Amino acid sequence: MKHALVFGGSGQIGLPLLQRLYHDGWRVTAISRGEQTDRPGLHWLRGDLERMPELPKRVDAIFSCGPLLKFAKWYETSGIEASRVVGFGSTSAETKRGSADAEERRVAAELREGEATLFAAAQPRSDAATVLRPTLIYGAGRDATLTRIAQLAQRLRYFPLPRGANGLRQPVHVDDLADAAFAALTAPASFGNTYAVPGGETLSYRDMVARTLACLRPPVKLIELPSPLFNLALLAAQASGRATGLGEAAVRRMRSDMAFDAGPAQRDFGYAPRPFRPSAQMFESPRG
């Protein structure tokens, strides 16, 4: 029986990935910071990349569904044997590298360093590594963008956007990302490569938000404001703590295209993500 080691197994991508491995007959060892319950074929270990529990000495594959740089640095010094490694990064490695915000530039640099560290560590071990770069993730109620928008909109009963928020987006469902990782696992063309894994539909930021608000129960109204008025509203929201993390750079990106080519992923491992069809349940926080 094939054996997989999964980091971030209790996260928004990790959980659907565990289901795919389980149904394909894999034995899985998964790492989580919180207490989890074992089931046949799935054994949980409690720990993280800084406080690692005792791990198997050899597995057939390792998946990283959490912070890429921390994982890559651990993998670099680990003695574990694994011929296949699949890790998740982010398209933020490119979209935020020239940001006006220093913290965003740091995040982008860490993502690129994580990719470089992973590939450099895999080469002398003859391990085949693949990095998947998702775009804007949704579907599990745990993302920091669309779920955050939906929950704030439900509290306010409206949601403001600046006019001209027409930058292109490709929101990607967590299940499609799990499918991508599982498919890339056995696709030799993906060995040693990095792939953008966007969603199956390209639409404007404004339309993405409008669809999100329309699926809520009850639906929430989108209000488009002139930039000066929106900036005043944003300052007020930041002062009240309701818009933490939404800075000038993030607002500027609403007008910038962030679309990526899924062609290489489609060619090399049959990546076929769904169009953006949100439902209210996708933005509900998980219970328990």
Side-chain angles (χ1 to χ4, degrees), residues 86-108:
V86 179
F88 281 94
S90 171
T91 53
S92 293
E94 295 302 327
T95 60
K96 294 183 179 179
R97 69 186 304 168
S99 172
D101 185 280
E103 176 61 18
E104 291 185 348
R105 292 196 304 274
R106 183 194 65 78
V107 169

Side-chain angles (χ1 to χ4, degrees), residues 76-223:
E76 184 179 36
T77 59
S78 74
I80 192 168
E81 296 180 30
S83 57
R84 192 72 179 95
V85 184
V86 179
F88 281 94
S90 171
T91 53
S92 293
E94 295 302 327
T95 60
K96 294 183 179 179
R97 69 186 304 168
S99 172
D101 185 280
E103 176 61 18
E104 291 185 348
R105 292 196 304 274
R106 183 194 65 78
V107 169
E110 281 196 358
L111 286 164
R112 296 193 302 276
E113 182 184 354
E115 293 179 3
T117 301
L118 177 59
F119 287 123
Q123 186 173 15
R125 297 158 69 155
S126 297
D127 292 349
T130 300
V131 172
L132 303 177
R133 288 178 168 182
T135 51
L136 201 152
I137 301 173
Y138 75 99
R142 300 172 69 172
D143 62 277
T145 303
L146 289 176
T147 293
R148 194 174 183 182
I149 287 172
Q151 293 178 349
L152 178 58
Q154 287 174 316
R155 291 198 299 270
L156 295 174
R157 301 300 180 189
Y158 67 93
F159 193 81
L161 274 184
R163 287 178 185 162
N166 293 319
L168 298 180
R169 295 294 185 272
Q170 299 162 307
V172 60
H173 196 281
V174 291
D175 286 347
D176 293 328
L177 296 176
D179 286 341
F182 189 70
L185 181 66
T186 54
S190 73
F191 298 177
N193 290 318
T194 298
Y195 296 89
V197 279
E201 182 177 2
T202 302
L203 69 167
S204 71
Y205 191 97
R206 183 240 179 245
D207 289 347
M208 178 184 72
V209 172
R211 283 193 204 175
T212 300
L213 302 183
C215 81
L216 302 177
R217 297 293 176 265
V220 175
K221 184 177 182 181
L222 173 64
I223 299 176

Side-chain angles (χ1 to χ4, degrees), residues 68-78 113-114 117-118:
L68 182 61
L69 179 57
K70 287 185 178 181
F71 167 75
K73 286 184 174 180
W74 168 83
Y75 170 73
E76 184 179 36
T77 59
S78 74
E113 182 184 354
T117 301
L118 177 59

